Amino acid sequence: MDTLRERRRESRLRYSWPIWFAENFDGVLTQGQMVDVSSNGAAFTCYADRCPTFGEHITARFSVPKFEDADSFDMANFIRDGRICRVDELGPYVRRVAIQFSEPLPFKPAVGKNEERLVCV
């Protein structure tokens, strides 16, 4: 029987929305496509020829849905510095990149406002 062991401490919100990134915001920004996000990091796809590398520090600008109740949400905008902790080749032209934020988001994107969550410390 195949079982997957979940190693994440926090659920991730899966959604597709643009993300902009660069080594720093004085340079040219590159667009990627968000795959998922938690308060501590995110994953996004980008073209292979414009992809950051493992261990590189980047600055990213992105929006995250912040759920108010079951039927409504607002987009919260963020700029976060972080370190690339994984790069996966999805094909000859596309990579999936995982970034760990230097500073966490002020909320857990996958947890709605009215939900209770047990947090283990």
Side-chain angles (χ1 to χ4, degrees):
M1 174 174 20
D2 291 329
T3 59
L4 294 176
R5 184 174 168 206
E6 180 60 54
R7 298 183 321 176
R8 293 183 176 145
R9 289 180 257 175
E10 178 184 333
S11 298
R12 290 180 164 250
L13 175 66
R14 295 183 57 84
Y15 72 108
S16 181
W17 202 259
I19 181 171
W20 296 91
F21 62 92
E23 185 175 332
N24 60 55
F25 270 23
D26 295 332
V28 176
L29 296 177
T30 301
Q31 184 178 356
Q33 193 72 27
M34 190 70 82
V35 173
D36 61 37
V37 66
S38 71
S39 62
N40 292 306
F44 62 91
T45 58
C46 59
Y47 289 116
D49 63 339
R50 297 183 179 188
C51 183
T53 58
F54 175 80
E56 185 176 352
H57 288 267
I58 65 168
T59 300
R61 184 180 74 205
F62 55 94
S63 299
V64 177
K66 187 172 182 182
F67 296 94
E68 297 300 323
D69 58 42
D71 296 326
S72 70
F73 66 90
D74 287 323
M75 294 301 280
N77 300 314
F78 296 98
I79 295 176
R80 285 292 187 269
D81 293 322
R83 183 183 64 82
I84 304 303
C85 55
R86 190 179 73 243
V87 178
D88 299 322
E89 185 175 331
L90 300 181
Y93 306 109
V94 179
R95 305 285 187 268
R96 180 176 48 227
V97 177
I99 179 174
Q100 182 177 13
F101 302 140
S102 298
E103 177 187 347
L105 301 180
F107 66 98
K108 295 180 180 182
V111 178
K113 180 180 177 184
N114 296 324
E115 294 179 46
E116 290 185 11
R117 183 172 171 87
L118 177 62
V119 179
C120 299
V121 259

